[in-house]
Amino acid sequence: MKIHFLKTEWSDIIILQNKEEIAFIDTGFEEQFEQICEYINSNFPAPVKIKFILNTHFHRDHYGCISKLTETFDVEKVYLKEYSGLDCTTAWGTPADDEYRHSEMEKYQKLKAELEEKNKYVSVEGVETINFGEAVIRLYNTENVIRKIYEDESTPETYHKIMFSENTNSLATFLEIDGHTVFFGGDCNDLPQPHPLADKILYKTAKSINKKIDVYKVPHHGTRYSGLPETLEIFKPKMAIFTNSEEYVLKESDALTNLKTANPKVKILWTNNSSQIIDTDKLGISEEDRIISFGAVVLAGLIIGLIYLRNISSFIAYLILMPLYLLLFFVPPICFIVIPIYILIGVSIYKWFKKGKILWLIINALTFIPAFVYLLQGIDCSMGI
């Protein structure tokens, strides 16, 4: 799978590419439609089929091109997040007024009606996963948190008067493919809020996922509260993409600092000057695959060792005595040659073949087993066997 983060600043336009099919996570501002069309025509063969469009929340920098895309291309489904009509800030972060909220509600209702008429509308509430080729996409924060708080009569009266940013309603999206993990934060954030349902939603999501992240689309364009240290300590992203400028983030936010604290080696990409394309096949071997590979070659070595020593008692004696021989430096010189050679070959194989997990496993095993037998022979000689 390839993930395309289109050139943009202060908006999200993300295209997932699975062979001939594509899907969108957010569609930027309405003014960016021509840019999207040019990008699609330049990068994907016609006729283009859009499997789905997933709207993280109803802000103009995320829903802008949904209507035009469904009119222009073959779009199968649109997953739409309900607009609360209780937004206290606009898509630009300025204070919202009644005129803005009414205008956005009209746009939401109109878009929903259009999609329902075309039989493309899907409400994200109740949707837990979306399958896209071999990838599984999990959705978090699917309910309309703002409306739920507002309509809950058991909460104190003050909560009924609070209007949160629509970013509080933003979906967070977690994608897994071939052992690799990708997190799309939408505009989800770690902003402390007076109500527990709205408080530090990003951190709660990270605790629910509880996995390290290979590719991290920084939430809310890298503004402050786009990832508290405790959130990023869980994720420890290897690569982070900002849909914003480096100048803004360095000047106004602690997002970059928090990322580098969680993982000093994190690779940073920016979309303000150019589009960024990430191929999941080139992300290297995942931690899970590395553990399986290591376990397989060790198991193979132990089996070979057991066969070579012919009986259980000799094998157990070998396991007990080998560390002692190593500690006392009684292991013959040949062993000190074999072990470094194996390490050197193993590192080389990992670098050369990290794109192919099966190839890495086979070649590593073929390298390890003869070295293991050779090592056993050397130890046997030192033991007088």
Side-chain angles (χ1 to χ4, degrees):
M1 177 177 287
K2 291 183 179 179
I3 306 170
H4 303 250
F5 297 87
L6 271 62
K7 178 183 176 182
T8 185
E9 189 173 344
W10 286 109
S11 67
D12 282 6
I13 308 172
I14 303 166
I15 300 177
L16 309 179
Q17 179 188 0
N18 175 47
K19 298 177 182 177
E20 301 302 318
E21 287 187 327
I22 64 172
F24 276 80
I25 298 179
D26 290 329
T27 63
F29 286 107
E30 186 176 2
E31 308 88 80
Q32 295 177 291
F33 178 67
E34 291 302 323
Q35 176 195 345
I36 293 174
C37 288
E38 289 176 11
Y39 191 89
I40 288 176
N41 294 333
S42 300
N43 289 274
F44 308 112
V48 172
K49 178 177 178 58
I50 300 174
K51 186 71 175 176
F52 64 84
I53 297 172
L54 176 62
N55 172 233
T56 58
H57 63 295
F58 207 73
H59 266 169
R60 297 181 188 186
D61 53 329
H62 294 261
Y63 74 75
C65 296
I66 292 177
S67 183
K68 289 184 177 179
L69 281 169
T70 57
E71 292 172 3
T72 309
F73 296 96
D74 180 8
V75 179
E76 188 174 317
K77 295 178 181 178
V78 177
Y79 294 88
L80 198 61
K81 185 72 190 274
E82 181 186 8
Y83 178 60
S84 71
L86 302 167
D87 207 342
C88 70
T89 57
T90 69
W92 300 277
T94 56
D97 54 21
D98 284 341
E99 184 179 349
Y100 174 85
R101 287 187 284 272
H102 292 157
S103 172
E104 291 303 288
M105 181 58 77
E106 287 177 2
K107 288 180 180 179
Y108 167 76
Q109 291 173 341
K110 180 183 178 183
L111 177 59
K112 180 182 176 182
E114 286 178 2
L115 296 173
E116 285 178 329
E117 186 178 350
K118 298 174 183 176
N119 199 29
K120 299 180 186 298
Y121 170 78
V122 181
S123 170
V124 298
E125 289 199 46
V127 177
E128 295 183 357
T129 61
I130 300 172
N131 293 319
F132 184 57
E134 296 175 356
V136 178
I137 303 168
R138 299 189 181 279
L139 308 185
Y140 292 84
N141 199 35
T142 56
E143 64 182 357
N144 190 323
V145 175
I146 301 175
R147 186 170 294 284
K148 188 172 183 179
I149 294 170
Y150 186 80
E151 294 178 348
D152 184 2
E153 295 181 359
S154 67
T155 59
E157 183 63 28
T158 52
Y159 288 144
H160 298 170
K161 299 176 182 178
I162 294 172
M163 290 183 290
F164 298 91
S165 166
E166 194 65 25
N167 295 333
T168 303
N169 268 338
S170 179
L171 292 174
T173 309
F174 175 68
L175 181 152
E176 283 189 290
I177 182 168
D178 291 336
H180 299 299
T181 54
V182 184
F183 182 79
F184 305 98
D187 277 1
C188 196
N189 56 61
D190 268 333
L191 188 67
Q193 296 278 20
H195 194 284
L197 280 178
D199 186 49
K200 299 178 184 176
I201 290 176
L202 188 58
Y203 175 60
K204 293 175 186 174
T205 301
K207 287 203 297 183
S208 297
I209 295 172
N210 197 29
K211 286 190 177 184
K212 293 180 180 178
I213 301 297
D214 292 314
V215 181
Y216 182 75
K217 201 294 289 187
V218 180
H220 199 206
H221 320 292
T223 57
R224 194 170 292 275
Y225 297 112
S226 61
L228 290 174
E230 51 264 43
T231 300
L232 295 171
E233 185 60 30
I234 297 172
F235 283 153
K236 291 187 180 297
K238 294 179 181 177
M239 181 184 297
I241 296 93
F242 285 87
T243 53
N244 211 329
S245 69
E246 185 175 3
E247 180 183 3
Y248 168 83
V249 172
L250 290 174
K251 184 179 178 181
E252 303 291 342
S253 173
D254 57 358
L256 191 57
T257 301
N258 291 344
L259 277 165
K260 291 188 175 181
T261 300
N263 178 14
K265 296 181 179 179
V266 62
K267 182 179 180 181
I268 305 296
L269 301 176
W270 308 88
T271 63
N272 61 309
N273 289 323
S274 63
S275 297
Q276 304 288 347
I277 303 174
I278 296 172
D279 189 337
T280 58
D281 288 339
K282 296 180 180 179
L283 290 175
I285 299 175
S286 68
E287 198 68 31
E288 184 179 306
D289 292 322
R290 198 175 287 117
I291 292 170
I292 292 171
S293 174
F294 178 76
V297 295
V298 169
L299 181 62
L302 291 175
I303 291 170
I304 293 295
L306 182 58
I307 294 171
Y308 179 77
L309 290 168
R310 293 183 177 81
N311 59 73
I312 295 291
S313 58
S314 295
F315 184 62
I316 293 173
Y318 157 72
L319 290 177
I320 295 171
L321 289 173
M322 191 177 99
L324 295 176
Y325 269 69
L326 288 170
L327 287 173
L328 297 172
F329 296 100
F330 287 162
V331 178
I334 189 68
C335 297
F336 290 103
I337 298 173
V338 171
I339 294 172
I341 288 176
Y342 168 67
I343 293 172
L344 183 62
I345 292 173
V347 170
S348 300
I349 289 170
Y350 172 68
K351 288 182 177 179
W352 295 338
F353 299 105
K354 65 180 180 180
K355 294 180 186 178
K357 294 181 282 292
I358 300 301
L359 192 58
W360 151 252
L361 180 62
I362 293 170
I363 295 181
N364 204 338
L366 291 175
T367 307
F368 184 82
I369 292 170
F372 191 85
V373 173
Y374 202 36
L375 179 62
L376 287 174
Q377 290 174 336
I379 293 172
D380 286 355
C381 290
S382 72
M383 294 171 66
I385 297 175

